[in-house]
Amino acid sequence: MCAAVYVLSTVTGYVLTSALLLKCPNLLHRKKRETFVSKHISHRGGAGENLENTMTAFKHAVDVGTDMLELDCHLTKDEQVVVSHDGDLQRTCGINTNISDVTYSELPPYLCRLGVTFQRECFCEGGEDKRIPLLRDVFDAFPNTPVNIDIKVSELVVKYDREHLTVWGNASNQIVKKCYKENPHIPVLFSLPRVLQLLGLFYTGLLPFVPIKEQFLEIPMPSIITKLQDPSRLTRGQRFIAWLADTLLMRKALFDHLTARGIQVYIWVLNDEDDFQRAFDLGATGVMTDFPTKLKDFMDRNSLSKAE
């Protein structure tokens, strides 16, 4: 009887403490310092309105009022850091070769028409700017705009004094650890294994007790799979997995806890207003989109002020 009372009181105490700290994490953790807050994030510069990852796309997004540019980088044969999502040139340039196998001067221009990855049956036709830019061109052109980068570019970030305006990370936990070790002053994203660990901590009630080094959680909204693929072609198993992932990931209590600790939550890649609304209703800090003008119009209409 005494043992049962002890176990019951211990479990009750744990549950109540966990619930209290989930709601009020600053009782235990100091809130992380936020050098910027981004509500409006342009995916590849806004791949639905201009050719992705071009200077024209980035300029348009900044002119619209984006808070952050999302981009990916690769090294050329002569070790120039270029902005490109793909490591090879087949999809974007129609040439079956890797960026790492050619020098920067040998890089071909983009095709005139590129598919928008996160919008079904949508294509973007470009204008005159079809050049693959250097990362330093982006830094030069937009010195005050935060950038979300998916590769190690520490030396260039430091050279341009952008440690306070850069977020970096990768799905691989090993790469994120290397990034953090190389320059702990640049905030990092959760890797995929760390996202899974985060969910485990959240659903066991341990999250409020655990310190977190990451400052940004960047995750997809799994329910949008029905907009990216023909729903009639999705198997029952695929629909179930999407539903389960969406149910586990899209939790307002989780987002509120993280943002209270100074960890920003970004949801990608959303291109419809109902998804914008859902993300902000759930407490996400920001939304990543291929259509920066559409997102800006939505934010203006719904009094979602620009990030301070």
Side-chain angles (χ1 to χ4, degrees), residues 51-262:
L51 287 184
E52 65 182 61
N53 290 319
T54 58
M55 292 301 292
T56 295
F58 297 136
K59 183 179 185 305
H60 171 71
V62 171
D63 288 344
V64 164
T66 196
D67 299 316
M68 174 183 282
L69 298 173
E70 184 276 342
L71 51 85
D72 303 272
C73 298
H74 295 277
L75 284 174
T76 62
K77 188 176 182 179
D78 53 346
E79 298 188 341
Q80 296 295 309
V81 183
V82 298
V83 179
S84 173
H85 176 268
D86 301 358
D88 65 81
L89 298 168
Q90 182 64 54
R91 179 182 69 89
T92 56
C93 301
I95 297 176
N96 187 22
T97 189
N98 294 322
I99 289 176
S100 59
D101 293 332
V102 296
T103 64
Y104 180 66
S105 62
E106 294 171 334
L107 284 174
Y110 280 130
L111 298 172
C112 296
R113 188 170 183 259
L114 294 178
V116 180
T117 306
F118 290 91
Q119 188 79 1
R120 185 156 51 106
E121 298 179 358
C122 179
F123 296 87
C124 182
E125 296 189 6
E128 295 181 1
D129 184 10
K130 300 180 182 66
R131 184 174 69 93
I132 298 176
L134 294 163
L135 180 59
R136 67 168 182 259
D137 292 341
V138 178
F139 286 174
D140 280 330
F142 314 107
N144 300 314
T145 302
V147 172
N148 183 316
I149 302 177
D150 183 45
I151 197 172
K152 287 172 45 177
V153 286
S154 179
E155 290 183 9
L156 208 54
V157 170
V158 172
K159 178 181 177 181
Y160 281 83
D161 190 26
R162 293 184 57 94
E163 290 171 298
H164 64 298
L165 289 173
T166 302
V167 185
W168 64 359
N170 192 276
S172 166
N173 201 39
Q174 287 188 327
I175 293 179
V176 172
K177 285 182 177 179
K178 288 179 181 179
C179 288
Y180 188 77
K181 183 178 180 181
E182 181 171 330
N183 193 331
H185 300 295
I186 303 176
V188 294
L189 300 163
F190 281 83
S191 64
L192 177 57
R194 285 285 290 161
V195 170
L196 298 177
Q197 184 181 40
L198 177 73
L199 291 176
L201 293 171
F202 174 68
Y203 284 105
T204 57
L206 290 170
L207 180 59
F209 304 100
V210 178
I212 298 173
K213 74 172 184 294
E214 293 90 349
Q215 288 184 244
F216 297 86
L217 174 65
E218 190 175 291
I219 54 176
M221 182 181 286
S223 61
I224 69 169
I225 189 173
T226 58
K227 297 181 179 181
L228 304 182
Q229 300 182 34
D230 185 347
S232 64
R233 295 187 177 183
L234 293 174
T235 65
R236 182 177 299 178
Q238 288 173 324
R239 288 195 295 270
F240 173 75
I241 291 172
W243 170 83
L244 180 62
D246 196 85
T247 301
L248 293 175
L249 277 175
M250 300 292 105
R251 307 300 297 184
K252 182 172 174 56
L254 174 61
F255 296 173
D256 287 347
H257 176 79
L258 292 176
T259 54
R261 291 174 66 168

